[in-house]
Structure formats: C-alpha cells, structure tokens
Amino acid sequence: MSAEQTLAQIAKEVAVCTKCALHESRKKAVAGDGPADAEIMFIGEGPGFHENEQGKPFVGASGKFLDQLLAQAELTREDVFICNVVKCRPPSNRDPQQDELEACDSYLQAQIEAINPSIIVTLGRISMSKFFGNVKISAVHGQMQKVGERFVIPMFHPAAALHQPPLKPSILADFAKLPNQLNEARHALGRKAVKKKESNSQKLEKPKQMSLF
Ligand code: URA
Ligand code: SF4
C-alpha cells in the first residue's frame, strides 16, 4: 500500500472507530489532513467544536492562528500534514484522558510511519508528552531534538498563545526558526527537499503553450 492509501485507510477506520468513549459524543472524527509525503507533521491535541462539525483539523480560531504561524515558517497547509493525538472531540474540549490517548495511539503511530516526516512539531503539552514525557514546555519550546529516526520540535499550542498574549511573540519566533531547522534536519537525515506540488492557482496562472504548427 502506498503512504497515501495507508492514510486513507486510517481515515476510514477512524470515522467509525469505537475504541474509546470519545466516539459516543463525536459528530465527525478528524483523522488529519495533508500530503502523504509531507516533510513536516504537526500534532495537536484533539478536535474542538468546529473540527467536530467539519471533520477537518484546525479550522476554528486556533486554525486561523496556525495559518499565520505557518506563514511565519514560509509554509502553507498544502505543504504539511496536520493531525491530533485523539481523533474525536473530547466533550467541552476537556483534556483527553490517559485511556483515550492510549486507545487512539495506534492511529497516530500508523500515520507517522506512513508519512515518515523529517520533523514532527508537537502543539501543546499533551502532544509533547508523547515524545518527551514530563518536561516543561516553557523550558524546551522551539528546540529541535532527535527522537529515533526523525526530529521533534515542541511548540506551544496556538490556542494557548491566543489565550495568553505574552506567549505570542515566543510562538511566532519559534515558527520563524522552522525553515532553518528543516534544512538542518534534511542534512542530518541525508534527505532532499520534497518538491512542492503546484497549487491550483499556479496551474491556472500558467499560460497555455502555443502550438508552432
Ligand atoms: N486544537 C487542536 O489541538 N486541534 C484541532 O484540530 C483544533 C484545535
Ligand atoms: Fe477511536 Fe481515537 Fe475516536 Fe477514541 S478518539 S473513538 S480511539 S478514533
């Protein structure tokens, strides 16, 4: 199976999954979104109100801010894969519980394996703890570390920065470091940059080639 097919299969399973209690209150599961060959994968916490309605990650207020942060990193949504540690919305946006995190982990691990990104960016404390255990996010945010066969960078959650304005310059600065960190990661892993796909707007702008005959 290609990586793309694997991701589609995971999304299909997640849509009807009943492995934890979060399925009881979900409207739409949110498997994740983005190209299967993404060099960077973002892992948030869990779907919120709007994500649960639309079945897509980071489409509410945090998502708007994430778009701004991606722009800081010279990236767009089309370049990256975005998902969450739990695929169904915790009621009232409470933290996911340990048993829910464990139940959903196999989907996340399968996504990481299929995409095989050079860099994983964790958004927030819960996603960070998957890779770093109980460290303080205020002490390690923005610092890229090798974890197994790739690099992981813990970042503040965009929602945290929205609620605590003093964090905003810090998260913007962390995202601005990403292009250099990506080059560093590519170099260390001996990987070449993945060619960006032409966006639809670029395709439309391209003039038709004139026939000479
Ligand atoms: N917050 C998250 O952690 N994930 C989303 O998809 C939306 C908001
Ligand atoms: Fe299944 Fe994960 Fe949804 Fe729980 S949160 S029901 S494990 S997809």
Side-chain angles (χ1 to χ4, degrees):
M1 245 199 302
S2 71
E4 218 160 290
Q5 287 168 328
T6 304
L7 292 181
Q9 180 60 35
I10 295 166
K12 228 168 121 183
E13 285 176 31
V14 157
V16 295
C17 177
T18 55
K19 284 202 292 179
C20 84
L22 293 182
H23 84 276
E24 289 163 15
S25 50
R26 78 162 171 239
K27 207 159 182 178
K28 283 189 180 158
V30 182
D33 213 6
D37 62 354
E39 295 184 87
I40 306 182
M41 181 170 177
F42 288 85
I43 308 178
E45 193 171 306
F49 175 85
H50 295 282
E51 291 76 21
N52 182 51
E53 296 291 315
Q54 297 179 38
K56 290 203 155 62
F58 284 94
V59 290
S62 301
K64 277 224 174 80
F65 186 41
L66 182 59
D67 286 336
Q68 263 187 54
L69 293 167
L70 289 173
Q72 283 285 304
E74 297 158 24
L75 294 167
T76 70
R77 294 241 178 180
E78 284 154 33
D79 303 320
V80 300
F81 191 86
I82 304 178
C83 66
N84 288 300
V85 287
V86 292
K87 314 303 191 196
C88 304
R89 183 192 182 201
S92 324
N93 299 345
R94 65 157 170 73
D95 286 355
Q97 294 168 358
Q98 200 52 44
D99 59 328
E100 296 157 355
L101 290 166
E102 279 167 23
C104 216
D105 191 60
S106 61
Y107 298 123
L108 180 65
Q109 297 309 327
Q111 287 173 318
I112 295 171
E113 199 176 306
I115 296 164
N116 192 17
S118 297
I119 292 180
I120 288 174
V121 174
T122 60
L123 299 171
R125 183 176 46 82
I126 292 180
S127 170
M128 175 182 73
S129 67
K130 286 256 169 199
F131 301 91
F132 299 117
N134 233 345
V135 298
K136 272 205 129 128
I137 195 160
S138 54
V140 297
H141 68 90
Q143 294 171 23
M144 184 163 83
Q145 295 183 53
K146 186 97 189 277
V147 178
E149 50 202 309
R150 68 191 92 256
F151 289 87
V152 182
I153 310 173
M155 303 267 204
F156 290 115
H157 195 287
L162 284 179
H163 295 135
Q164 296 164 256
L167 289 182
K168 214 170 158 181
S170 193
I171 193 173
L172 285 164
D174 284 347
F175 270 76
K177 292 197 301 189
L178 254 177
N180 282 337
Q181 288 169 319
L182 180 56
N183 277 331
E184 209 181 300
R186 283 175 185 146
H187 185 75
L189 299 171
R191 289 179 165 195
K192 288 211 178 74
V194 168
K195 268 222 184 107
K196 289 197 182 189
K197 289 189 189 69
E198 268 183 32
S199 70
N200 282 333
S201 58
Q202 279 167 328
K203 274 184 210 152
L204 290 173
E205 276 160 24
K206 218 184 204 170
K208 281 219 176 85
Q209 206 161 359
M210 272 200 292
S211 164
L212 293 173
F213 303 102

